[in-house]
Amino acid sequence: MDTYWKDEGGQDESFWEHEWGKHGTCYSTLEPSCYVNYSPQEEVVDFFERTVDLFKELNTYKFLADAGIVPSATKNYTSAEVLAALNKPRGVNATIECSHGQLDEVYYFYDVAGTIAEGKFVPQNPVGETSDCPASLQYLPKNISSTPTANDTIPPPPFVGNGYVLVEAKHAGREVGCLNGAGAFVSSVTNASCAVFTGKVSGARILYSIHVRRCLIT
C-alpha cells in the first residue's frame, strides 16, 4: 500500500481510513461464518489486499502507451481512442472521467464469481455508468497543467473580503461543501454550518482568517 495506494496530499493513513469507511462496507458487513477459522479484522486485510491485487492487474499507463497514447502537454487525444485502448487488453469497456477537459480518472468494473471474500473478480462492461469526457481531451504529464491560449478564460483574482470557503471533496464522490469554524469539511452549505473567512493580501500570499484560527494559502 505504501507503493500502490498513496494519498495525493501525503495523508496515507487518513486516506486509507476513509477508503475503508466508504468502500469497505462490502467486506465489513460479512458474517464471521463466511470465513474458515475467522480472526478479528480479517476482512480489513482482505479488502486492502484484494484492492491492491486488482490494481496491479490494471496498468492503465501501459494500456494507453501500447496504443500510442502517452502524457503530453501539447497533444490532444479523442475519448474514443482512449476508451478503445482501455478495452483492448481486457476485452471489456472502462469509463473515463475528465476535469476541465483533462483525463482525471479511469473506472474498471467487475462481477464476482463466488463470495467477495474468496471469489474470482471477472472483468465486465459497465452497467449504467458512462464516461463524461469531451470528444477531444488532454492526457497531461503529472504536475503539469495545460498551456493557456488566447481563447482561455482568464482565472478570477484571489478571493479577498468576507465569504465562505467552498471545498470539493474528491474522495467523497465529488461532494461540494464548505469549511466550518474548526477548519473541517461539512457537506451542508448553510449560514449555520459554514464559517465566514476574511481574505487579505499579504505579499505574495492571501491570508484567510476566522475568529478561531488562521491559515496561509500560497
Side-chain angles (χ1 to χ4, degrees), residues 35-55:
Y35 287 89
V36 177
N37 298 322
Y38 173 76
S39 299
Q41 284 77 57
E42 186 174 352
E43 69 278 10
V44 180
V45 177
D46 280 354
F47 167 73
F48 286 110
E49 284 187 343
R50 179 58 67 95
T51 304
V52 171
D53 286 344
L54 288 173
F55 178 80

PDB file of all heavy atoms in Angstrom, residues 35-55:
ATOM      1  N   TYR A  35     -16.015 -16.962   6.824  1.00  0.00           N
ATOM      2  CA  TYR A  35     -14.599 -17.323   6.848  1.00  0.00           C
ATOM      3  C   TYR A  35     -14.404 -18.667   7.540  1.00  0.00           C
ATOM      4  O   TYR A  35     -15.211 -19.069   8.390  1.00  0.00           O
ATOM      5  CB  TYR A  35     -13.780 -16.274   7.598  1.00  0.00           C
ATOM      6  CG  TYR A  35     -13.586 -14.982   6.854  1.00  0.00           C
ATOM      7  CD1 TYR A  35     -14.503 -13.946   6.973  1.00  0.00           C
ATOM      8  CD2 TYR A  35     -12.474 -14.775   6.035  1.00  0.00           C
ATOM      9  CE1 TYR A  35     -14.328 -12.746   6.292  1.00  0.00           C
ATOM     10  CE2 TYR A  35     -12.284 -13.583   5.355  1.00  0.00           C
ATOM     11  CZ  TYR A  35     -13.215 -12.571   5.490  1.00  0.00           C
ATOM     12  OH  TYR A  35     -13.037 -11.400   4.815  1.00  0.00           O
ATOM     13  N   VAL A  36     -13.326 -19.327   7.194  1.00  0.00           N
ATOM     14  CA  VAL A  36     -12.897 -20.543   7.899  1.00  0.00           C
ATOM     15  C   VAL A  36     -11.856 -20.116   8.935  1.00  0.00           C
ATOM     16  O   VAL A  36     -10.870 -19.457   8.593  1.00  0.00           O
ATOM     17  CB  VAL A  36     -12.290 -21.565   6.923  1.00  0.00           C
ATOM     18  CG1 VAL A  36     -11.793 -22.785   7.691  1.00  0.00           C
ATOM     19  CG2 VAL A  36     -13.316 -21.970   5.872  1.00  0.00           C
ATOM     20  N   ASN A  37     -12.109 -20.438  10.195  1.00  0.00           N
ATOM     21  CA  ASN A  37     -11.207 -20.040  11.286  1.00  0.00           C
ATOM     22  C   ASN A  37     -11.004 -18.524  11.293  1.00  0.00           C
ATOM     23  O   ASN A  37      -9.888 -18.008  11.228  1.00  0.00           O
ATOM     24  CB  ASN A  37      -9.861 -20.756  11.154  1.00  0.00           C
ATOM     25  CG  ASN A  37      -9.984 -22.259  11.242  1.00  0.00           C
ATOM     26  OD1 ASN A  37     -10.785 -22.770  12.030  1.00  0.00           O
ATOM     27  ND2 ASN A  37      -9.208 -22.970  10.423  1.00  0.00           N
ATOM     28  N   TYR A  38     -12.129 -17.804  11.367  1.00  0.00           N
ATOM     29  CA  TYR A  38     -12.110 -16.337  11.312  1.00  0.00           C
ATOM     30  C   TYR A  38     -11.279 -15.722  12.427  1.00  0.00           C
ATOM     31  O   TYR A  38     -11.349 -16.154  13.587  1.00  0.00           O
ATOM     32  CB  TYR A  38     -13.531 -15.796  11.401  1.00  0.00           C
ATOM     33  CG  TYR A  38     -13.627 -14.296  11.519  1.00  0.00           C
ATOM     34  CD1 TYR A  38     -13.428 -13.482  10.415  1.00  0.00           C
ATOM     35  CD2 TYR A  38     -13.910 -13.698  12.753  1.00  0.00           C
ATOM     36  CE1 TYR A  38     -13.511 -12.106  10.519  1.00  0.00           C
ATOM     37  CE2 TYR A  38     -13.998 -12.320  12.867  1.00  0.00           C
ATOM     38  CZ  TYR A  38     -13.799 -11.533  11.747  1.00  0.00           C
ATOM     39  OH  TYR A  38     -13.888 -10.158  11.865  1.00  0.00           O
ATOM     40  N   SER A  39     -10.463 -14.720  12.068  1.00  0.00           N
ATOM     41  CA  SER A  39      -9.720 -13.924  13.042  1.00  0.00           C
ATOM     42  C   SER A  39     -10.269 -12.498  13.009  1.00  0.00           C
ATOM     43  O   SER A  39     -10.592 -11.995  11.921  1.00  0.00           O
ATOM     44  CB  SER A  39      -8.227 -13.900  12.705  1.00  0.00           C
ATOM     45  OG  SER A  39      -7.692 -15.209  12.732  1.00  0.00           O
ATOM     46  N   PRO A  40     -10.393 -11.838  14.153  1.00  0.00           N
ATOM     47  CA  PRO A  40     -10.926 -10.473  14.174  1.00  0.00           C
ATOM     48  C   PRO A  40     -10.176  -9.557  13.205  1.00  0.00           C
ATOM     49  O   PRO A  40      -8.950  -9.610  13.104  1.00  0.00           O
ATOM     50  CB  PRO A  40     -10.724 -10.043  15.635  1.00  0.00           C
ATOM     51  CG  PRO A  40     -10.741 -11.322  16.403  1.00  0.00           C
ATOM     52  CD  PRO A  40     -10.081 -12.339  15.507  1.00  0.00           C
ATOM     53  N   GLN A  41     -10.937  -8.756  12.463  1.00  0.00           N
ATOM     54  CA  GLN A  41     -10.429  -7.804  11.469  1.00  0.00           C
ATOM     55  C   GLN A  41      -9.812  -8.474  10.235  1.00  0.00           C
ATOM     56  O   GLN A  41      -9.138  -7.822   9.439  1.00  0.00           O
ATOM     57  CB  GLN A  41      -9.399  -6.825  12.072  1.00  0.00           C
ATOM     58  CG  GLN A  41     -10.013  -5.729  12.926  1.00  0.00           C
ATOM     59  CD  GLN A  41     -10.415  -6.212  14.298  1.00  0.00           C
ATOM     60  OE1 GLN A  41      -9.589  -6.730  15.029  1.00  0.00           O
ATOM     61  NE2 GLN A  41     -11.674  -6.046  14.633  1.00  0.00           N
ATOM     62  N   GLU A  42     -10.060  -9.755  10.068  1.00  0.00           N
ATOM     63  CA  GLU A  42      -9.537 -10.437   8.883  1.00  0.00           C
ATOM     64  C   GLU A  42     -10.086  -9.821   7.603  1.00  0.00           C
ATOM     65  O   GLU A  42      -9.398  -9.760   6.574  1.00  0.00           O
ATOM     66  CB  GLU A  42      -9.902 -11.925   8.944  1.00  0.00           C
ATOM     67  CG  GLU A  42      -9.282 -12.769   7.838  1.00  0.00           C
ATOM     68  CD  GLU A  42      -9.555 -14.256   8.025  1.00  0.00           C
ATOM     69  OE1 GLU A  42     -10.098 -14.638   9.084  1.00  0.00           O
ATOM     70  OE2 GLU A  42      -9.215 -15.022   7.102  1.00  0.00           O
ATOM     71  N   GLU A  43     -11.345  -9.331   7.681  1.00  0.00           N
ATOM     72  CA  GLU A  43     -11.961  -8.738   6.497  1.00  0.00           C
ATOM     73  C   GLU A  43     -11.283  -7.428   6.087  1.00  0.00           C
ATOM     74  O   GLU A  43     -11.275  -7.062   4.909  1.00  0.00           O
ATOM     75  CB  GLU A  43     -13.463  -8.507   6.730  1.00  0.00           C
ATOM     76  CG  GLU A  43     -13.804  -7.428   7.736  1.00  0.00           C
ATOM     77  CD  GLU A  43     -13.743  -7.905   9.179  1.00  0.00           C
ATOM     78  OE1 GLU A  43     -13.255  -9.022   9.439  1.00  0.00           O
ATOM     79  OE2 GLU A  43     -14.207  -7.156  10.047  1.00  0.00           O
ATOM     80  N   VAL A  44     -10.695  -6.715   7.057  1.00  0.00           N
ATOM     81  CA  VAL A  44      -9.986  -5.475   6.730  1.00  0.00           C
ATOM     82  C   VAL A  44      -8.772  -5.783   5.859  1.00  0.00           C
ATOM     83  O   VAL A  44      -8.542  -5.138   4.827  1.00  0.00           O
ATOM     84  CB  VAL A  44      -9.561  -4.733   8.015  1.00  0.00           C
ATOM     85  CG1 VAL A  44      -8.818  -3.449   7.662  1.00  0.00           C
ATOM     86  CG2 VAL A  44     -10.767  -4.439   8.899  1.00  0.00           C
ATOM     87  N   VAL A  45      -8.018  -6.777   6.275  1.00  0.00           N
ATOM     88  CA  VAL A  45      -6.832  -7.178   5.497  1.00  0.00           C
ATOM     89  C   VAL A  45      -7.253  -7.652   4.111  1.00  0.00           C
ATOM     90  O   VAL A  45      -6.633  -7.294   3.097  1.00  0.00           O
ATOM     91  CB  VAL A  45      -6.058  -8.283   6.241  1.00  0.00           C
ATOM     92  CG1 VAL A  45      -4.873  -8.755   5.394  1.00  0.00           C
ATOM     93  CG2 VAL A  45      -5.585  -7.786   7.603  1.00  0.00           C
ATOM     94  N   ASP A  46      -8.331  -8.431   4.041  1.00  0.00           N
ATOM     95  CA  ASP A  46      -8.792  -8.941   2.750  1.00  0.00           C
ATOM     96  C   ASP A  46      -9.168  -7.809   1.800  1.00  0.00           C
ATOM     97  O   ASP A  46      -8.850  -7.856   0.605  1.00  0.00           O
ATOM     98  CB  ASP A  46     -10.003  -9.861   2.945  1.00  0.00           C
ATOM     99  CG  ASP A  46      -9.599 -11.254   3.387  1.00  0.00           C
ATOM    100  OD1 ASP A  46      -8.387 -11.535   3.427  1.00  0.00           O
ATOM    101  OD2 ASP A  46     -10.491 -12.060   3.689  1.00  0.00           O
ATOM    102  N   PHE A  47      -9.836  -6.804   2.325  1.00  0.00           N
ATOM    103  CA  PHE A  47     -10.266  -5.679   1.482  1.00  0.00           C
ATOM    104  C   PHE A  47      -9.070  -4.977   0.847  1.00  0.00           C
ATOM    105  O   PHE A  47      -9.027  -4.759  -0.370  1.00  0.00           O
ATOM    106  CB  PHE A  47     -11.079  -4.683   2.314  1.00  0.00           C
ATOM    107  CG  PHE A  47     -11.302  -3.358   1.629  1.00  0.00           C
ATOM    108  CD1 PHE A  47     -12.183  -3.241   0.566  1.00  0.00           C
ATOM    109  CD2 PHE A  47     -10.621  -2.222   2.064  1.00  0.00           C
ATOM    110  CE1 PHE A  47     -12.381  -2.021  -0.068  1.00  0.00           C
ATOM    111  CE2 PHE A  47     -10.812  -0.998   1.437  1.00  0.00           C
ATOM    112  CZ  PHE A  47     -11.697  -0.895   0.372  1.00  0.00           C
ATOM    113  N   PHE A  48      -8.095  -4.628   1.669  1.00  0.00           N
ATOM    114  CA  PHE A  48      -6.946  -3.897   1.145  1.00  0.00           C
ATOM    115  C   PHE A  48      -6.077  -4.776   0.236  1.00  0.00           C
ATOM    116  O   PHE A  48      -5.585  -4.319  -0.797  1.00  0.00           O
ATOM    117  CB  PHE A  48      -6.126  -3.314   2.299  1.00  0.00           C
ATOM    118  CG  PHE A  48      -6.786  -2.127   2.944  1.00  0.00           C
ATOM    119  CD1 PHE A  48      -7.319  -2.214   4.220  1.00  0.00           C
ATOM    120  CD2 PHE A  48      -6.871  -0.914   2.280  1.00  0.00           C
ATOM    121  CE1 PHE A  48      -7.939  -1.120   4.813  1.00  0.00           C
ATOM    122  CE2 PHE A  48      -7.475   0.185   2.866  1.00  0.00           C
ATOM    123  CZ  PHE A  48      -8.014   0.084   4.133  1.00  0.00           C
ATOM    124  N   GLU A  49      -5.894  -6.042   0.606  1.00  0.00           N
ATOM    125  CA  GLU A  49      -5.089  -6.922  -0.233  1.00  0.00           C
ATOM    126  C   GLU A  49      -5.748  -7.139  -1.589  1.00  0.00           C
ATOM    127  O   GLU A  49      -5.085  -7.110  -2.633  1.00  0.00           O
ATOM    128  CB  GLU A  49      -4.860  -8.260   0.465  1.00  0.00           C
ATOM    129  CG  GLU A  49      -3.831  -8.208   1.578  1.00  0.00           C
ATOM    130  CD  GLU A  49      -3.510  -9.587   2.125  1.00  0.00           C
ATOM    131  OE1 GLU A  49      -4.309 -10.533   1.867  1.00  0.00           O
ATOM    132  OE2 GLU A  49      -2.471  -9.735   2.805  1.00  0.00           O
ATOM    133  N   ARG A  50      -7.066  -7.368  -1.602  1.00  0.00           N
ATOM    134  CA  ARG A  50      -7.763  -7.613  -2.858  1.00  0.00           C
ATOM    135  C   ARG A  50      -7.725  -6.364  -3.736  1.00  0.00           C
ATOM    136  O   ARG A  50      -7.519  -6.455  -4.955  1.00  0.00           O
ATOM    137  CB  ARG A  50      -9.214  -8.033  -2.593  1.00  0.00           C
ATOM    138  CG  ARG A  50     -10.033  -8.291  -3.850  1.00  0.00           C
ATOM    139  CD  ARG A  50      -9.423  -9.370  -4.735  1.00  0.00           C
ATOM    140  NE  ARG A  50      -9.456 -10.667  -4.099  1.00  0.00           N
ATOM    141  CZ  ARG A  50     -10.420 -11.567  -4.296  1.00  0.00           C
ATOM    142  NH1 ARG A  50     -11.410 -11.298  -5.117  1.00  0.00           N
ATOM    143  NH2 ARG A  50     -10.379 -12.726  -3.685  1.00  0.00           N
ATOM    144  N   THR A  51      -7.900  -5.206  -3.137  1.00  0.00           N
ATOM    145  CA  THR A  51      -7.885  -3.966  -3.912  1.00  0.00           C
ATOM    146  C   THR A  51      -6.526  -3.733  -4.563  1.00  0.00           C
ATOM    147  O   THR A  51      -6.431  -3.392  -5.746  1.00  0.00           O
ATOM    148  CB  THR A  51      -8.242  -2.769  -3.014  1.00  0.00           C
ATOM    149  OG1 THR A  51      -9.515  -3.000  -2.395  1.00  0.00           O
ATOM    150  CG2 THR A  51      -8.305  -1.482  -3.817  1.00  0.00           C
ATOM    151  N   VAL A  52      -5.464  -3.945  -3.801  1.00  0.00           N
ATOM    152  CA  VAL A  52      -4.115  -3.760  -4.351  1.00  0.00           C
ATOM    153  C   VAL A  52      -3.832  -4.795  -5.429  1.00  0.00           C
ATOM    154  O   VAL A  52      -3.244  -4.478  -6.474  1.00  0.00           O
ATOM    155  CB  VAL A  52      -3.056  -3.813  -3.228  1.00  0.00           C
ATOM    156  CG1 VAL A  52      -1.648  -3.838  -3.816  1.00  0.00           C
ATOM    157  CG2 VAL A  52      -3.208  -2.615  -2.296  1.00  0.00           C
ATOM    158  N   ASP A  53      -4.260  -6.040  -5.217  1.00  0.00           N
ATOM    159  CA  ASP A  53      -4.031  -7.081  -6.211  1.00  0.00           C
ATOM    160  C   ASP A  53      -4.734  -6.743  -7.525  1.00  0.00           C
ATOM    161  O   ASP A  53      -4.176  -6.940  -8.618  1.00  0.00           O
ATOM    162  CB  ASP A  53      -4.517  -8.433  -5.688  1.00  0.00           C
ATOM    163  CG  ASP A  53      -3.593  -9.016  -4.623  1.00  0.00           C
ATOM    164  OD1 ASP A  53      -2.444  -8.534  -4.509  1.00  0.00           O
ATOM    165  OD2 ASP A  53      -4.032  -9.934  -3.906  1.00  0.00           O
ATOM    166  N   LEU A  54      -5.964  -6.232  -7.442  1.00  0.00           N
ATOM    167  CA  LEU A  54      -6.680  -5.848  -8.652  1.00  0.00           C
ATOM    168  C   LEU A  54      -5.999  -4.678  -9.337  1.00  0.00           C
ATOM    169  O   LEU A  54      -5.886  -4.640 -10.571  1.00  0.00           O
ATOM    170  CB  LEU A  54      -8.132  -5.482  -8.310  1.00  0.00           C
ATOM    171  CG  LEU A  54      -9.052  -6.641  -7.923  1.00  0.00           C
ATOM    172  CD1 LEU A  54     -10.390  -6.107  -7.458  1.00  0.00           C
ATOM    173  CD2 LEU A  54      -9.239  -7.608  -9.091  1.00  0.00           C
ATOM    174  N   PHE A  55      -5.524  -3.728  -8.548  1.00  0.00           N
ATOM    175  CA  PHE A  55      -4.848  -2.566  -9.126  1.00  0.00           C
ATOM    176  C   PHE A  55      -3.608  -2.979  -9.911  1.00  0.00           C
ATOM    177  O   PHE A  55      -3.322  -2.428 -10.978  1.00  0.00           O
ATOM    178  CB  PHE A  55      -4.461  -1.577  -8.022  1.00  0.00           C
ATOM    179  CG  PHE A  55      -3.718  -0.378  -8.533  1.00  0.00           C
ATOM    180  CD1 PHE A  55      -4.388   0.679  -9.117  1.00  0.00           C
ATOM    181  CD2 PHE A  55      -2.339  -0.317  -8.457  1.00  0.00           C
ATOM    182  CE1 PHE A  55      -3.706   1.785  -9.605  1.00  0.00           C
ATOM    183  CE2 PHE A  55      -1.641   0.779  -8.939  1.00  0.00           C
ATOM    184  CZ  PHE A  55      -2.326   1.834  -9.519  1.00  0.00           C
TER     185      PHE A  55
END
